[in-house]
Amino acid sequence: MSQSQEPPSPADFSLDDVIIRGIRPDDAEALTEVLNMPGVRHGTLRQPFQSVAHTRKHIESLTPADIVIAAEWRGRLLGNAGLHAERGRRRHAASLGLGIHDDFTGKGLGTLFIKTLLDAADNWHDLKRIELNVFTDNAPAIRLYEKFGFEKEGTMRQYAYRDGAYADCYLMARLR
């Protein structure tokens, strides 16, 4: 895209045009932009001002046990999601995480990400337990996870420091 060309507008968004694909090292710059957005950062443990080099290093360190996907729309990266499998006696389990561009939340990308990852977990990797942490005040994310069978297993009090205060989170899991 040339610098004079405007990026596609969220008003024109359609899930029909979204491509879900594996994450690539050359996604590091666009992904860093998404991960540094205030809304994405607020819902995760990410530090402000993550560098492109840090993102690239993370992408390059992924193993075959990690399933990390990206959503691309009209050449624009809108977010990523991943399953990170455990090892040893917990190799039946994986943790799930996702981040979606602030301007594209609530448009079905989370559903698309989770459907794709659960299909891989169930039909390709024989994962029995998918687990995640979600801040207790993130009602849209909690509803999304519950829609896919995730259940709250506990509350981790003062789990993380965010916006000048300690915030609680739920441990949620889906068992198959």
Side-chain angles (χ1 to χ4, degrees), residues 23-44:
I23 198 80
R24 304 183 300 235
D26 65 346
D27 290 327
E29 187 170 341
L31 183 57
T32 301
E33 181 182 329
V34 171
L35 297 176
N36 280 325
M37 295 185 141
V40 175
R41 214 175 45 245
H42 186 78
T44 68

Side-chain angles (χ1 to χ4, degrees), residues 8-18 20 71 73 76 78 98 100-113 115 140-141 143-144 147:
S9 166
D12 300 330
F13 181 76
S14 168
L15 273 179
D16 295 335
D17 300 330
V18 172
I20 298 292
W73 175 66
R76 184 177 184 186
L78 300 184
L98 60 92
I100 297 170
H101 189 292
D102 286 0
D103 295 339
F104 293 86
T105 60
K107 296 184 181 294
L109 285 170
T111 294
L112 190 56
F113 274 144
K115 268 186 194 174
R143 280 192 305 274
L144 173 67
K147 179 169 94 172

Side-chain angles (χ1 to χ4, degrees), residues 65-68 81-85 94-97 117-118 120-121 127 130-131:
D66 298 306
I67 306 164
V68 181
L83 282 177
H84 304 282
S95 61
L96 181 143
L117 290 174
L118 292 182
L127 293 169
I130 309 297
E131 54 197 27

Side-chain angles (χ1 to χ4, degrees), residues 69-90:
I69 56 178
E72 185 179 312
W73 175 66
R74 298 183 182 176
R76 184 177 184 186
L77 192 97
L78 300 184
N80 78 318
L83 282 177
H84 304 282
E86 301 293 336
R87 295 183 183 168
R89 292 172 55 182
R90 286 196 22 93

